[in-house]
Amino acid sequence: MTQSEPNWEWYRTFLTVLETGSLSAAGRAMGLTQPTVGRHIDSLESALALKLFTRSFDGFAPTAAALELKPYAASVAATSAAILRVASSHGSGVRGTVRLSASEVIGVEVLPPILAKLRNEYPELIIELVLSNKVDDLLHREADIAVRMLRPTQDALVAKRVGGIELGLHAHKRYLAAHGTPKSLEALSHHTLIGFDHESAYIRRLLDQYPMFSRAALAFRADSDLAQLGVIRAGLGIGVCQSALAARDNALVRVLRSEFSLKMDTWIAMHEDLRESARCAVTFAALAEGLKAYIQ
């Protein structure tokens, strides 16, 4: 039986200790002292009448109760953060915090100039960017707006398709100068290929169409699209990247254009409860305009 209603901040501390594995590391991450983190955990354990951590040789180990509590604590923390974002937006004009979620490549390579223009227009807007591919973060209020490469299907979301981002095979000029340019998909077997590490539903669909990109054929494997882009730019080999992005770099050359071309549907989505939010409305519109221009 609980002794008192837990403080929401204790849940955030609990999640950080879970993630970092120690009180000192959690304190550094949160900007708190180790004793303060310890008091938060002690208070939460007392309020819930549960033992959440046991001290182990390498830090704090979560109990079974802590692991079961984790998704609910994450929901509480996300709701608390969403409340603060909404509260920060009230006042005259467009102001407050808007939290965005996007994939690595979109977040790092495509969104910065769009967000810079948006911030110049609305200087009281605060932007938080999360690099994530999770499709459910909007429903859990972990983000206000998400850029996704598939159509959101949840009824509670407002979604807009902004177009299809083309993917092609690319290599650095240095690599092609040293190893030659492939003339067919079959010739790729004689080249250094860059690609995925773990299969996903999207990868399996790609392999149905392009079996030469099987995991065994890859000389460099990473699930991070940003890492793959980095080694393509470094001249390691041939890999898949966004054609519009590669076009910005004269050193990147597209190969087998007619034989290999994919389109990624690109969507912007937000929770329907945010329709009337000025901070979200202007951000949603800026993303739609900027991403359309990027795709074109």
Side-chain angles (χ1 to χ4, degrees), residues 45-80:
E45 288 182 332
S46 176
L48 299 176
L50 287 173
K51 186 69 174 175
L52 298 174
F53 295 96
T54 58
R55 185 176 293 278
S56 65
F57 70 94
D58 60 349
F60 271 52
T63 64
L67 295 176
E68 187 173 353
L69 188 65
K70 180 180 178 180
Y72 301 101
S75 178
V76 169
T79 299
S80 174

Side-chain angles (χ1 to χ4, degrees), residues 9 12-41:
E9 186 68 10
R12 190 167 77 94
T13 303
F14 161 70
L15 290 169
T16 308
V17 174
L18 264 179
E19 181 180 347
T20 61
S22 74
L23 299 183
S24 57
R28 288 192 296 272
M30 301 178 68
L32 302 175
T33 64
Q34 181 174 333
T36 299
V37 174
R39 285 194 296 272
H40 284 186
I41 297 301

Side-chain angles (χ1 to χ4, degrees), residues 96-256:
T97 303
V98 59
R99 190 170 178 86
L100 309 178
S101 175
S103 66
E104 284 184 328
V105 170
I106 294 294
V108 173
E109 297 283 347
V110 181
L111 293 189
I114 298 173
L115 299 180
K117 180 181 177 183
L118 173 67
R119 185 61 168 64
N120 287 336
E121 188 171 354
Y122 301 102
E124 291 190 81
L125 197 62
I126 298 170
I127 301 165
E128 297 176 349
L129 178 61
V130 181
L131 302 183
S132 167
N133 287 314
K134 293 192 299 182
V135 296
D136 58 352
D137 50 9
L138 294 176
L139 295 181
H140 294 166
R141 301 306 176 96
E142 295 171 13
D144 298 318
I145 302 174
V147 179
R148 288 291 171 261
M149 301 316 176
L150 73 167
R151 181 174 186 168
T153 57
Q154 298 91 336
D155 292 338
L157 301 183
V158 177
K160 178 182 180 64
R161 183 182 182 274
V162 293
I165 293 178
E166 186 180 18
L167 302 177
L169 293 177
H170 295 82
H172 195 280
K173 287 180 178 179
R174 286 194 308 271
Y175 174 84
L176 298 176
H179 302 280
T181 301
K183 302 302 182 183
S184 67
L185 289 174
E186 291 72 25
L188 290 173
S189 61
H190 303 294
H191 284 269
T192 300
L193 299 184
I194 296 162
F196 67 95
D197 185 18
H198 296 92
E199 280 193 16
S200 64
Y202 178 79
I203 292 295
R204 285 190 287 273
R205 289 196 299 272
L206 182 146
L207 291 176
D208 287 340
Q209 190 173 356
Y210 301 105
M212 66 289 301
F213 279 91
S214 67
R215 189 177 188 277
L218 303 176
F220 179 89
R221 302 166 185 158
D223 291 328
S224 165
D225 293 338
L226 206 54
Q228 292 183 32
L229 178 60
V231 295
I232 292 171
R233 284 172 168 164
L236 189 148
I238 299 173
V240 179
C241 74
Q242 297 178 19
S243 300
L245 189 58
R248 297 175 176 177
D249 187 343
N250 291 332
L252 294 185
V253 178
R254 185 166 181 180
V255 300
L256 302 174

